[in-house]
C-alpha cells in the first residue's frame, strides 16, 4: 500500500509539466550567476561537482543536515536545550552547502529527473527556513516555538530525502553510466588508420561497445563513447585544451587517462589501449589501475606496434 502511494506521488511529480517553466527560469538564473562568479569553468566547477572526490559531493553533504537535525530531535526529547540549538545550527550550515552543490548538479538534469529535483529542492528550502526560524527562536529563549518549527521541518527533510534517493536509484543522477567491463579483451580492428583525421573524434565499434577515437599529438587515443554523466555521445564533442569535451554538458576528459577534469561527470571515461597494425587501428579494454585516485583511470595508454 505504501509503495503504491509513493509510486503515485512520483508519477504525479514526473508528469507535471507545470514545473518546466520555473525550472528553466531557475536554470537560466543559476547559469547567469555562476558565469558572473566564474564557477562555470575550472577548479570551482569541479570542486562543486565533486570531481576531486570521485563521486558527486552533494549526497555526502546531505548527511550533515539530516544527521544534525535528527540529533536535535533526540536532544529536544531529552531536554538538552543548548545542545539542541547547536545541532540545529550545524544542520543549517550543512544544508546551505548541500543546497549550493545540489543546485550546481541539478542544472545538468533533464525532463522527469529535473521535475523531481525541483520538488526535492523546494522541500529542502522550506525545511531550511523552518530550521533557521527554529534556531533564531531558541536563541531568543522561545524554546517551544523552536521545537515546533523543528518538528514541522523534520518530515519535510524525510520526504525530500526519499526524492533524493529517487534521483539516484531511479534516474541514476550522479551514477557512473558507462559500461565498465573487460570487453574486448584482445586487440580488435575498428578503423583504417587513413580514415582518422587529426583532432576529429570518430565513433567506432569494438564488439558490443561504442568507442570514440581521437588522434592528437601524434597518438591515437580511445575512450568509451558514452559520457559517464548521462551517456552523452563523446564522438559529437570536440577537443579543447587537449581534452575531449562532451557536447551535452561540457564535461572534459583527459585523452590518455580518461580523467574527468571539470564535471558534471565525476567518474573517468573508460580507456582503451590502441595500436596500429597493417594500416588498421586496433583497440582493447585498458585495465583500471588498483592505485587510481578518484576521478582517474590511471591507465598507461599507448600505441603498441607489431
Amino acid at each position: 500500500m505504501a509503495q503504491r502511494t509513493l509510486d503515485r506521488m512520483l508519477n504525479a511529480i514526473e508528469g507535471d509539466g507545470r514545473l518546466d517553466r520555473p525550472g528553466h527560469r531557475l536554470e537560466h538564473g543559476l547559469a547567469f550567476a555562476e558565469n558572473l562568479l566564474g564557477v562555470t569553468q575550472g577548479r570551482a566547477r569541479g570542486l562543486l561537482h565533486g570531481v576531486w572526490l570521485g563521486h558527486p559531493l552533494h549526497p555526502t553533504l546531505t548527511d550533515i543536515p539530516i544527521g544534525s537535525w535528527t540529533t536535535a530531535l533526540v536532544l529536544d526529547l531529552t531536554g538538552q536545550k543548548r545542545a539542541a540549538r547547536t545541532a540545529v545550527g550545524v544542520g543549517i550550515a550543512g544544508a546551505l552547502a548541500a543546497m549550493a552543490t545540489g543546485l550546481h548538479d541539478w542544472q545538468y538534469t533533464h525532463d522527469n529527473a529535473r521535475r523531481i529535483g525541483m520538488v526535492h529542492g523546494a522541500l529542502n528550502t522550506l525545511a531550511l527556513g523552518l530550521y533557521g526560524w527554529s534556531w533564531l527562536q531558541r536563541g531568543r529563549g522561545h524554546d517551544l516555538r523552536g521545537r515546533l518549527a523543528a518538528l514541522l521541518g523534520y518530515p519535510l527533510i524525510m520526504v525530500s530525502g526519499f526524492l533524493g534517493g529517487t534521483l539516484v536509484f531511479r534516474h541514476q543522477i550522479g551514477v557512473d553510466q558507462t559500461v565498465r567491463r573487460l570487453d574486448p579483451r584482445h586487440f580488435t580492428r575498428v578503423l583504417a588508420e587513413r580514415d582518422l583525421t587529426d583532432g576529429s573524434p570518430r565513433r567506432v565499434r569494438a564488439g558490443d561497445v561504442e568507442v570514440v577515437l581521437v588522434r592528437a599529438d601524434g597518438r591515437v587515443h580511445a575512450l568509451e563513447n558514452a559520457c559517464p554523466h548521462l551517456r552523452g555521445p563523446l564522438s559529437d564533442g570536440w577537443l579543447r585544451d587537449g581534452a575531449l569535451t562532451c557536447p551535452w554538458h561540457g564535461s572534459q576528459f583527459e585523452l590518455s587517462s580518461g580523467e574527468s577534469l571539470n564535471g558534471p561527470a565525476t567518474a573517468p571515461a573508460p580507456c582503451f589501449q590502441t595500436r596500429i597494425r597493417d594500416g588498421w587501428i586496433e583497440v582493447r579494454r585498458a585495465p583500471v589501475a588498483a592505485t587510481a585516485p578518484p576521478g582517474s583511470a590511471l591507465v598507461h595508454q599507448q600505441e603498441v606496434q607489431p
Side-chain angles (χ1 to χ4, degrees):
M1 183 67 180
Q3 183 63 53
R4 292 180 182 176
T5 301
L6 292 173
D7 283 341
R8 282 196 294 268
M9 179 186 72
L10 292 176
N11 291 335
I13 296 172
E14 291 174 345
D16 194 345
R18 293 173 298 179
L19 294 170
D20 293 341
R21 178 174 292 183
H24 288 138
R25 289 177 177 174
L26 177 59
E27 178 194 3
H28 294 156
L30 286 171
F32 179 74
E34 290 193 350
N35 275 318
L36 286 179
L37 295 172
V39 177
T40 54
Q41 297 181 9
R43 295 182 178 179
R45 171 171 167 160
L47 175 68
L48 289 173
H49 282 306
V51 172
W52 57 277
L53 192 60
H55 63 74
L57 176 60
H58 173 68
T60 303
L61 293 176
T62 59
D63 289 347
I64 299 175
I66 292 175
S68 297
W69 292 340
T70 300
T71 300
L73 180 64
V74 174
L75 292 172
D76 278 338
L77 293 175
T78 57
Q80 301 183 55
K81 299 179 181 180
R82 181 176 298 179
R85 184 171 187 260
T86 299
V88 169
V90 171
I92 291 171
L96 290 172
M99 178 180 291
T101 54
L103 284 170
H104 192 63
D105 289 344
W106 172 84
Q107 295 179 80
Y108 304 102
T109 60
H110 301 280
D111 303 325
N112 292 348
R114 169 164 291 207
R115 294 169 182 170
I116 292 287
M118 283 281 292
V119 178
H120 171 69
L123 291 175
N124 282 335
T125 302
L126 183 56
L128 177 59
L130 286 169
Y131 275 99
W133 192 74
S134 173
W135 186 82
L136 288 173
Q137 291 302 312
R138 292 168 191 263
R140 295 170 180 172
H142 303 305
D143 291 318
L144 183 59
R145 295 178 186 177
R147 291 183 181 186
L148 177 59
L151 286 174
L152 293 173
Y154 196 77
L156 296 178
I157 64 169
M158 292 295 99
V159 176
S160 177
F162 170 76
L163 294 179
T166 299
L167 288 171
V168 175
F169 298 109
R170 182 164 172 167
H171 296 286
Q172 297 194 329
I173 301 301
V175 176
D176 181 1
Q177 299 198 28
T178 53
V179 180
R180 297 196 176 270
R181 57 191 183 192
L182 298 179
D183 298 330
R185 295 172 180 266
H186 306 288
F187 279 109
T188 303
R189 284 186 175 183
V190 291
L191 186 71
E193 182 186 9
R194 64 176 180 274
D195 294 333
L196 184 62
T197 305
D198 284 358
S200 297
R202 178 72 179 267
R203 181 181 63 182
V204 296
R205 293 198 68 87
D208 295 330
V209 182
E210 283 196 352
V211 177
V212 57
L213 299 177
V214 181
R215 190 196 298 272
D217 300 324
R219 298 176 58 188
V220 175
H221 304 271
L223 303 175
E224 187 171 313
N225 190 43
C227 176
H229 178 231
L230 289 178
R231 300 191 63 79
L234 296 181
S235 56
D236 292 342
W238 56 90
L239 289 181
R240 179 179 179 183
D241 299 328
L244 184 58
T245 302
C246 176
W248 284 10
H249 303 118
S251 295
Q252 290 184 294
F253 301 94
E254 206 279 327
L255 290 174
S256 61
S257 68
E259 177 184 358
S260 176
L261 301 177
N262 64 339
T266 56
C271 290
F272 296 78
Q273 293 175 332
T274 65
R275 74 179 183 186
I276 299 174
R277 174 172 288 183
D278 299 329
W280 286 86
I281 299 172
E282 299 180 347
V283 303
R284 71 178 177 188
R285 182 74 71 168
V288 178
T291 56
S296 174
L298 264 193
V299 295
H300 297 290
Q301 182 182 214
Q302 59 185 350
E303 292 190 11
V304 182
Q305 299 297 330

